[in-house]
């Protein structure tokens, strides 16, 4: 993954850079045919989202410590190519849309050959610990 960092904010040494999340497909994630089961891609999106938020300084522990809970309100996944045990998948996460009450993240998963294996998105709301909607600015 060296060299795959992208600058998302700032200049020179002050720039915030993020790197794709790297997932190594596990044997238990495959089905009887040796193909990664479709449900795992949604899990990989969550892993990549957690890593992305950590990289930009807003990990879940920090959000929850200030009273922000971010439930998933929608998820979508389009499968392009099969993956198998021990494939290494890079997952790029970008903010597609941010509104005061909703965040939409887009995921692009590529294999070691640079082929897109899956694309998807997740949408998240913001609530307080009592379950009331929060508007973020």
């Amino acid at each position: 993954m060296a060299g795959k960092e992208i600058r998302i904010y700032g200049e020179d040494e002050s720039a915030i850079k993020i790197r794709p999340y790297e997932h190594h497909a596990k044997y238990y994630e495959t089905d009887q045919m040796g193909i990664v089961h479709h449900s795992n891609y949604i899990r990989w999106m969550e892993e990549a989202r957690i890593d992305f938020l950590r990289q930009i300084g807003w990990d879940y522990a920090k959000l929850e410590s200030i009273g922000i809970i971010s439930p998933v309100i929608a998820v979508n996944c389009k499968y392009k190519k099969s993956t198998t045990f021990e494939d290494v998948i890079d997952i790029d996460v970008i903010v597609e849309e941010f509104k005061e009450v909703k965040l939409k993240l887009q995921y692009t998963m590529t294999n070691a050959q640079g082929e897109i294996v899956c694309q998807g998105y997740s949408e998240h709301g913001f609530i307080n610990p009592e379950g009331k909607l929060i508007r973020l600015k």
Side-chain angles (χ1 to χ4, degrees), residues 63-70 126-134:
L63 289 170
E64 291 176 2
S65 74
I66 59 174
I68 300 172
I69 300 169
S70 182
F126 306 106
I127 60 174
N128 67 20
E130 292 76 40
K132 295 195 182 220
L133 190 64
I134 298 174

Side-chain angles (χ1 to χ4, degrees), residues 20-112:
Y21 176 73
E22 185 178 273
H23 182 84
H24 296 253
K26 313 291 188 289
Y27 182 76
Y28 71 82
E29 294 174 322
T30 63
D31 59 19
Q32 193 173 13
M33 298 178 293
I35 305 295
V36 170
H37 190 269
H38 66 276
S39 65
N40 289 294
Y41 295 88
I42 304 298
R43 291 181 181 99
W44 297 357
M45 288 165 57
E46 180 177 11
E47 291 174 13
R49 177 172 64 253
I50 290 168
D51 181 67
F52 173 79
L53 291 172
R54 183 191 53 75
Q55 287 188 68
I56 65 170
W58 286 98
D59 60 77
Y60 276 107
K62 180 177 181 176
L63 289 170
E64 291 176 2
S65 74
I66 59 174
I68 300 172
I69 300 169
S70 182
V72 174
I73 56 176
V75 67
N76 178 279
C77 206
K78 287 192 177 191
Y79 308 99
K80 306 286 188 178
K81 186 170 179 56
S82 297
T83 56
T84 58
F85 172 55
E86 292 190 336
D87 283 352
V88 177
I89 305 300
D90 282 345
I91 306 172
D92 289 305
V93 181
I94 63 166
V95 176
E96 182 175 319
E97 178 182 31
F98 175 73
K99 295 183 178 176
E100 293 178 347
V101 296
K102 184 177 82 171
L103 171 67
K104 184 174 183 180
L105 297 173
Q106 186 178 79
Y107 308 85
T108 302
M109 303 180 198
T110 56
N111 62 19

